[in-house]
Amino acid sequence: MFRRTFFALTAATALAAPAFAGGHSKDIVDTAVEAGAFGTLVAAVEAAGLVETLKGEGPFTVFAPTDEAFAALPEGTVEDLLKPENKDQLVSILTYHVVPGKVMSTDLSNNMMAATVEGSEVTIMTEGGVMVQDANVVTADVEASNGVIHVIDKVILPGS
């Protein structure tokens, strides 16, 4: 079923790793920084000028690639994307990882399409584990004060 509107749960159970323990009083950026596994993502968000946006009211759903996910990209890719002349491309990639609204794992359905902030849609599959495009969700429902983070094992690219 095609869904564009998502409803936040009033009482959700976080399935987060211990690095995320302690409630959700921090925004998405501070939650990612505190976790310690998203240094590359945080650096990219800073280079793209998206920090204030992701610290904003939201709510946002972020499919957050780990440092290992960025390291799996072809050599030199991250360094090139972080250059000022590639800011538009970096913004496009990062906003492809963000869906407006707070989408918890219990809101998902198989073969669901979700519109991203970038403007394209991502396909979410739930059979045999949750996937966004071809990335596996390795930790779901990490709540933040302005949304939710779902940790993924791969950087997803618009048009892929």
Side-chain angles (χ1 to χ4, degrees):
M1 180 177 169
F2 190 82
R3 293 164 114 191
R4 288 199 179 262
T5 305
F6 303 103
F7 298 97
L9 295 175
T10 56
T13 303
L15 303 175
F20 294 111
H24 51 273
S25 62
K26 297 183 185 313
D27 61 48
I28 286 173
V29 175
D30 291 340
T31 300
V33 168
E34 186 176 283
F38 303 102
T40 306
L41 177 61
V42 171
V45 166
E46 289 172 350
L50 295 173
V51 171
E52 290 308 310
T53 300
L54 290 175
K55 285 179 144 303
E57 187 174 323
F60 305 105
T61 297
V62 177
F63 298 106
T66 61
D67 289 338
E68 292 80 15
F70 279 101
L73 292 171
E75 189 173 334
T77 301
V78 173
E79 294 78 8
D80 284 342
L81 287 171
L82 294 177
K83 293 178 180 175
E85 61 267 25
N86 296 325
K87 182 178 178 179
D88 289 345
Q89 183 180 8
L90 181 60
V91 167
S92 178
I93 291 168
L94 292 174
T95 57
Y96 188 65
H97 288 79
V98 180
V99 172
K102 184 176 179 183
V103 185
M104 303 300 288
S105 61
T106 53
D107 296 324
L108 304 176
S109 61
N110 197 51
N111 210 27
M112 177 178 161
M113 302 297 288
T116 68
V117 172
E118 180 266 343
S120 301
E121 293 182 331
V122 290
T123 303
I124 299 170
M125 302 299 290
T126 59
E127 290 182 3
V130 178
M131 293 186 74
V132 178
Q133 296 299 91
D134 58 347
N136 294 299
V137 175
V138 295
T139 304
D141 299 334
V142 180
E143 291 193 75
S145 62
N146 62 344
V148 63
I149 299 171
H150 300 293
V151 182
I152 58 175
D153 65 354
K154 185 175 182 181
V155 177
I156 55 176
L157 301 172
S160 62

